[in-house]
Amino acid sequence: MLDLILQTCVNALYASSYTALMAVGLVLIFGVMGIINFAHGELLMVGAYVVFFLYATFGWPFPLAVAGSIVIVALIGVLMERALFKPMRGNPLGGLIMSVGALFILQVATVDIAGLGLAKNIPPAYDGSVALFGIETLTLPRQRLIVMVAATAGLVLLWLFLTRTKLGWALRACAQDPEAAALQGISLDRTALIAMVIGAAFAGGAGALLAPIVQVTPYMGHAYVVTAFIVIIVGGVGSLEGAVVASVIFTFFDTFVTTFIDGSTAAILGLLLMLVVLVVKPTGLFGSAEKA
Amino acid sequence: MAHEARLGWLLAFAFACVAPNFLSVSMRDVALYMLLYIVVAQSFRMITLTGDWSLGHVVTMGVGAYASALLVKKLGFSVWIAMPSAALVGALIAYILSFPLFRLKGNYFLIGSFAAGEAIRLTWFKYRDPFGGPTGILRIPAPELTVPGLGTLDFSDWSLFYYLALGFTVLCLWLMWRLERSRIGLTLNAIHWRDLLAESVGVDVRRYKTLAFVIASFFAAFAGAMFSHYLGSANPNQFGLAVMLYVLVWVIVGGTRTFAGPVIGTVLLTALSEILRVVGVDEYRPAIYGIILILTILFLPQGLESLPGRVRDWCARRKGVVPAA
């Protein structure tokens, strides 16, 4: 029983790593632009497909394929920001509707390029498992370990960027108060672009890293974006630390309920948990009052 | 203007009355969906009147479909009683959900309503008894009516059901129209534009928002009940996010400012979907919807219904400019 609990903890940590990547990206975009990006799951899906093409079809090395996928999805992010979100500054609902349009377009474009058919199964780039903390029964497949390490590295880099660089400060200033930031000479257009690039790159990276582990289909984004919504609501929309902490809390909850009861119960309870948080503390566990 | 509008509605109604005579078999389904989705889109607009956008509206429709099917199949209700009862069930569930949801505003309300809807939909998936799991409920009977002297009318006949749906849609539209012109509708409008001012003159904003939400859910659930008895089945995938987003597209492209907007949007875009299907590019439909949605928001933010007014303005301006030059 102890083994099972420990193993479930490890699985939860793994799940929280990519969930945090998604949630942090969404929060960054919401914080700076005030837009809820409904197409965020589709960015993850595109990231996974790029790995399918580069790695599984063209035979690139896996890390290079992941890098390629991050670049491509970040470019899609640039396009979305400039073409769709920029004209909608100050109109959050308009931005959301734009992202719904982008969601449809990305899904159809993927179906058109890659075909619908069966889910793409991508062979793992790294075989075998590692035993953690010297306990033989406590294992994590190497491929999943890569996801955890890469996601953690990405989050740490983002944290360093936001706290140590001038541009990072500008980004946080915009998230706190766009008008005051603009008065200080910070270009909102530029920070919005950077936020969108980082958000898209994180989503694309998550999709790329997960591609060999999960089933890759044009509609795979839905589940991830729902989870990310729950996480950012629980953590407080607009709070990056909240998003990371809520990712861990939520995935532990979800993984334990899935392991000990079943997956659909976990999904229903997760949504109810979010409704409860919305009712009890609408600004989320870490959100500030004025962001609501 | 009022005359033009009335003429437009009458023409549309006359066209709908004679339409069954020249519809092909494959277009029959489309015509029926169109009628019922007009009710869903129009009731969706009723929620947006207060400035809130719900993403749970199609699930509410599903609540009506499931409730009506279960009332008939498990409890032996007559279809004629089950459908309005199901609409009441939809309204009741909306009322219960309004307690958590209306603590929220704007984007939060949107995500909250989406989450509540998904929770309901996942419940249908999970519980085979009584909801039938992923396959849903099958063999839902169509209504029958015994008229003295005429014998039994069996509404599994398409054209009979079509006229039933047409009558239903016209009645719902009329009721929603009356409601919008009533004191309630005017109050909702006041809440949309100046919620704090409305509150300060003694309007209970929360109560009116809840009222709009519950009434809109009643209509959506009623339309859902009609759906289930027409199709003979109800399953969770019929009421997923994709359908919700389609309704959102119809309403936004048509325009939410006036009553005609959602009707125009639903009719034109459903017709477009059918054209795309006939041409054989069905798989591009979501992307074409997406492009239309983006172009509408960019260039015609008030929706298609604002087009005639814009053209008229443009002509007037041209006329005004020419003599001056």
Side-chain angles (χ1 to χ4, degrees):
Chain A
M1 192 61 191
L2 185 66
D3 279 355
L4 184 60
I5 289 174
L6 277 176
Q7 184 66 53
T8 311
C9 286
V10 170
N11 294 346
L13 276 177
Y14 153 72
S16 65
S17 65
Y18 62 79
T19 306
L21 278 186
M22 288 291 284
V24 162
L26 267 180
V27 164
L28 210 57
I29 294 168
F30 180 83
V32 175
M33 303 194 262
I35 287 171
I36 293 184
N37 181 19
F38 244 79
H40 215 63
E42 275 54 44
L43 292 176
L44 174 139
M45 178 272 292
V46 172
Y49 268 95
V50 174
V51 162
F52 165 71
F53 280 114
L54 293 183
Y55 164 72
T57 312
F58 302 146
W60 289 25
F62 185 70
L64 209 59
V66 172
S69 141
I70 289 174
V71 171
I72 289 176
V73 179
L75 286 177
I76 294 176
V78 171
L79 202 68
M80 278 170 68
E81 148 60 22
R82 279 299 180 247
L84 304 181
F85 295 155
K86 198 176 166 191
M88 292 291 123
R89 289 277 188 275
N91 176 3
L93 184 68
L96 182 133
I97 293 165
M98 283 294 195
S99 74
V100 169
L103 176 157
F104 282 137
I105 294 172
L106 286 173
Q107 272 185 0
V108 170
T110 308
V111 171
D112 199 40
I113 294 169
L116 199 48
L118 293 168
K120 307 282 184 240
N121 281 316
I122 299 168
Y126 307 95
D127 288 328
S129 304
V130 280
L132 297 174
F133 314 116
I135 306 170
E136 269 173 45
T137 50
L138 191 63
T139 61
L140 187 68
R142 216 172 284 265
Q143 188 78 48
R144 298 186 181 212
L145 188 68
I146 301 281
V147 176
M148 274 175 77
V149 172
T152 313
L155 291 172
V156 170
L157 278 178
L158 176 69
W159 181 73
L160 288 176
F161 168 72
L162 288 176
T163 53
R164 300 290 153 86
T165 67
K166 244 185 157 168
L167 214 54
W169 291 355
L171 212 67
R172 285 192 298 153
C174 280
Q176 269 175 17
D177 189 337
E179 266 178 45
L183 284 175
Q184 301 295 317
I186 297 171
S187 158
L188 281 183
D189 280 343
R190 201 169 64 145
T191 42
L193 189 65
I194 295 169
M196 192 64 209
V197 165
I198 297 175
F202 272 24
L209 291 165
L210 288 173
I213 300 169
V214 299
Q215 293 213 318
V216 178
T217 76
Y219 309 107
M220 67 190 282
H222 182 69
Y224 293 95
V225 89
V226 172
T227 311
F229 279 161
I230 298 175
V231 164
I232 65 171
I233 291 279
V234 171
V237 185
S239 161
L240 289 169
E241 297 85 353
V244 176
V245 177
S247 297
V248 176
I249 295 175
F250 177 76
T251 48
F252 264 81
F253 174 80
D254 186 68
T255 315
F256 270 88
V257 178
T258 304
T259 309
F260 291 99
I261 305 174
D262 65 70
S264 44
T265 309
I268 295 170
L269 286 179
L271 290 161
L272 292 179
L273 174 80
M274 169 174 136
L275 280 179
V276 169
V277 170
L278 276 176
V279 173
V280 178
K281 198 167 181 303
T283 50
L285 299 179
F286 299 86
S288 55
E290 68 260 47
K291 275 263 114 180
Chain B
M1 184 63 198
H3 278 291
E4 285 169 35
R6 201 168 300 158
L7 193 66
W9 288 109
L10 277 175
L11 278 176
F13 178 67
F15 179 76
C17 283
V18 295
N21 295 321
F22 49 85
L23 284 182
S24 70
V25 175
S26 70
M27 278 161 76
R28 291 177 154 194
D29 274 347
V30 180
L32 223 125
Y33 289 165
M34 206 187 261
L35 283 177
L36 296 179
Y37 273 124
I38 285 174
V39 175
V40 176
Q42 191 61 258
S43 60
F44 183 75
R45 174 170 170 271
M46 187 179 283
I47 301 175
T48 69
L49 276 184
T50 61
D52 283 316
W53 292 70
S54 163
L55 283 186
H57 206 54
V58 164
V59 173
T60 308
M61 187 186 148
V63 168
Y66 270 91
S68 191
L70 288 176
L71 286 174
V72 171
K73 293 198 68 161
K74 302 267 172 183
L75 299 178
F77 275 48
S78 141
V79 176
W80 300 107
I81 299 178
M83 288 196 294
S85 313
L88 285 175
V89 171
L92 180 70
I93 287 187
Y95 181 65
I96 295 167
L97 284 177
S98 75
F99 287 99
L101 289 182
F102 280 113
R103 292 177 60 101
L104 315 165
K105 270 177 131 179
N107 280 327
Y108 291 85
F109 180 81
L110 201 116
I111 293 195
S113 60
F114 172 62
E118 280 292 296
I120 293 174
R121 218 167 65 84
L122 287 169
T123 311
W124 297 333
F125 263 114
K126 180 169 164 50
Y127 294 101
R128 269 174 200 287
D129 188 40
F131 301 116
T135 43
I137 302 172
L138 302 171
R139 289 185 293 281
I140 304 167
E144 281 181 358
L145 190 65
T146 313
V147 186
L150 265 175
T152 304
L153 294 174
D154 181 4
F155 284 89
S156 57
D157 174 51
W158 180 81
S159 46
L160 270 181
F161 202 100
Y162 176 86
Y163 285 108
L164 179 69
L166 181 63
F168 166 76
T169 303
V170 170
L171 180 68
C172 287
L173 285 181
W174 182 75
L175 285 172
M176 282 190 265
W177 167 261
R178 294 300 306 167
L179 205 67
E180 198 182 325
R181 302 282 131 169
S182 73
R183 206 186 156 81
I184 296 172
L186 296 176
T187 312
L188 294 178
N189 202 29
I191 292 171
H192 183 179
W193 295 110
R194 292 275 184 275
D195 58 342
L196 287 180
L197 183 62
E199 202 153 25
S200 70
V201 295
V203 173
D204 186 342
V205 169
R206 172 101 179 255
R207 218 185 87 204
Y208 275 93
K209 282 190 169 190
T210 307
L211 190 65
F213 189 60
V214 169
I215 295 174
S217 300
F218 176 87
F219 283 115
F222 213 136
M226 295 278 288
F227 250 106
S228 68
H229 292 287
Y230 172 68
L231 289 173
S233 64
N235 68 63
N237 289 325
Q238 291 166 340
F239 309 107
L241 180 65
V243 184
M244 182 65 238
L245 294 181
Y246 285 159
V247 173
L248 191 73
V249 175
W250 296 334
V251 172
I252 289 172
V253 171
T256 56
R257 225 179 31 150
T258 66
F259 196 78
V263 180
I264 294 172
T266 308
V267 170
L268 285 185
L269 286 178
T270 319
L272 176 75
S273 305
E274 179 59 12
I275 293 170
L276 293 178
R277 201 184 57 79
V278 171
V279 177
V281 289
D282 205 22
E283 69 270 27
Y284 292 103
R285 184 176 69 155
I288 291 167
Y289 266 38
I291 292 167
I292 292 176
L293 184 66
I294 287 170
L295 292 179
T296 306
I297 290 281
L298 279 179
F299 301 111
L300 208 62
Q302 310 270 357
L304 285 177
E305 56 88 7
S306 69
L307 202 56
R310 279 197 163 199
V311 172
R312 212 172 297 136
D313 281 358
W314 185 73
C315 290
R317 230 177 301 133
R318 262 180 69 111
K319 273 185 203 148
V321 166
V322 172

